[in-house]
Amino acid sequence: MDVIEAMETCRAIRYLKPDPVPQELIERVIYAATRASSPGNSQGWDFVVLRDRATKEKLGPVIRERLLPLIQRVPATPGSVARTVAGAQHLVREFENVPVWIIVCGRKVYPPGAATDQMVDAALYPAAQNLIVAARSLGLGTTFTTLQVATENEMREVLGIPADCSIAVCIALGYPDRPFGPVKRKPVSEVIHWERW
Ligand SMILES: Cc1cc2nc3c(=O)[nH]c(=O)nc-3n(C[C@H](O)[C@H](O)[C@H](O)COP(=O)(O)O)c2cc1C
C-alpha cells in the first residue's frame, strides 16, 4: 500500500477488536510518528502507551462521566455526523476494552508565551498524523480523540504526565472491527487556490 492509499482509507476506526497489538507494531507506529517535522527539529514529543487494564479502569469511569454528556450535546444530523456521535460514544463506553491508547504529549521547547510557543503544540499533530497513517498501512485502526479536554487532571495524575507537558491528542489503537474505507472529504477543486485566494 502506498502512503496516499493509506491516507485515503485511514478512517477513524472506533470499533476495535479486543486482540492485543504486538509491541513491535506499537514501536513501529511511534517510530513513524517520530519521523515527523517539528520546529527547528525540536522533537518535543513524548508518547504514553496505555495497555494495562488496571490503569484504564482508573480512567474509564471519569472519562465516561465527563465525556458522554459532552458527546450527547453534539447535534445529530443525518449521515456521517450521527454515525460519528454513535461511534464516539462507543469508544468512550469501551475505553477499557480499547487495546492501546497512545497519549501524544509534548514539552514546550520555547519559553512560555514566546511567539514561537504555539508551534510546539502544533508540532505534535504532524507526529500524530504520521502515527495514524503508519498504523493504517500496518492494518491497525486508530481514532484521534481529545478525551483530555474534560479529564486532563485525572489523566496527568494517573499517568504521571508532568505539568510542563501538554497533552495534544489521545489515539485509540487496535485491530479494526469495521472495515477501513475511503474517507469522505471535500474535493480538492473546492479548496485549492492557485496563485491567490
Ligand atoms: C483534533 C481531532 C480531535 C478529534 N476528536 C475526536 C474525539 O474526541 N472522538 C472521536 O470519536 N473522534 C475524534 N476525532 C476524529 C474525527 O471525528 C474524524 O476524523 C472525522 O469525523 C472524519 O471521519 P473519518 O476520519 O473517519 O473520515 C478527532 C479528530 C481530530 C483531528
Side-chain angles (χ1 to χ4, degrees):
M1 165 179 301
D2 73 23
V3 72
I4 295 183
E5 199 184 328
M7 288 172 183
E8 63 197 3
T9 58
C10 190
R11 263 191 196 158
I13 301 288
R14 300 185 178 87
Y15 296 82
L16 295 162
K17 292 191 171 134
D19 313 23
V21 179
Q23 175 146 335
E24 70 203 67
L25 294 188
I26 301 173
E27 288 173 359
R28 189 86 185 130
V29 298
I30 293 176
Y31 170 79
T34 58
R35 301 307 94 184
S37 172
S38 61
N41 207 18
S42 45
Q43 304 175 61
W45 42 54
D46 284 277
F47 304 83
V48 179
V49 180
L50 174 54
R51 290 179 294 187
D52 182 15
R53 188 168 187 99
T55 313
K56 290 180 204 158
E57 282 170 356
K58 290 187 185 148
L59 286 169
V62 69
I63 284 173
R64 276 186 287 281
E65 183 194 314
R66 308 256 175 86
L67 268 296
L68 284 175
L70 289 182
I71 299 168
Q72 269 144 18
R73 260 184 258 143
V74 175
T77 58
S80 67
V81 176
R83 275 203 305 278
T84 301
V85 169
Q89 287 174 335
H90 172 83
L91 200 55
V92 165
R93 287 200 184 102
E94 293 294 306
F95 179 82
E96 292 89 337
N97 293 322
V98 170
V100 185
W101 285 96
I102 300 179
I103 321 300
V104 183
C105 312
R107 271 211 166 86
K108 307 267 184 204
V109 292
Y110 296 104
T116 43
D117 196 18
Q118 70 188 49
M119 292 201 301
V120 179
D121 281 349
L124 299 176
Y125 278 91
Q129 180 68 16
N130 270 13
L131 190 156
I132 70 165
V133 174
R136 166 66 192 100
S137 77
L138 295 169
L140 291 164
T142 57
T143 304
F144 264 67
T145 76
T146 40
L147 301 182
Q148 79 279 8
V149 293
T151 58
E152 184 166 340
N153 292 342
E154 289 79 3
M155 225 177 240
R156 283 183 189 284
E157 196 188 319
V158 171
L159 304 178
I161 298 171
D164 63 345
C165 244
S166 45
I167 303 173
V169 64
C170 307
I171 300 175
L173 175 80
Y175 287 99
D177 208 15
R178 302 263 171 110
F180 290 111
V183 296
K184 279 197 220 145
R185 302 290 188 259
K186 293 177 190 174
V188 176
S189 58
E190 236 181 71
V191 295
I192 197 164
H193 308 273
W194 296 108
E195 315 308 343
R196 53 180 285 126
W197 188 283

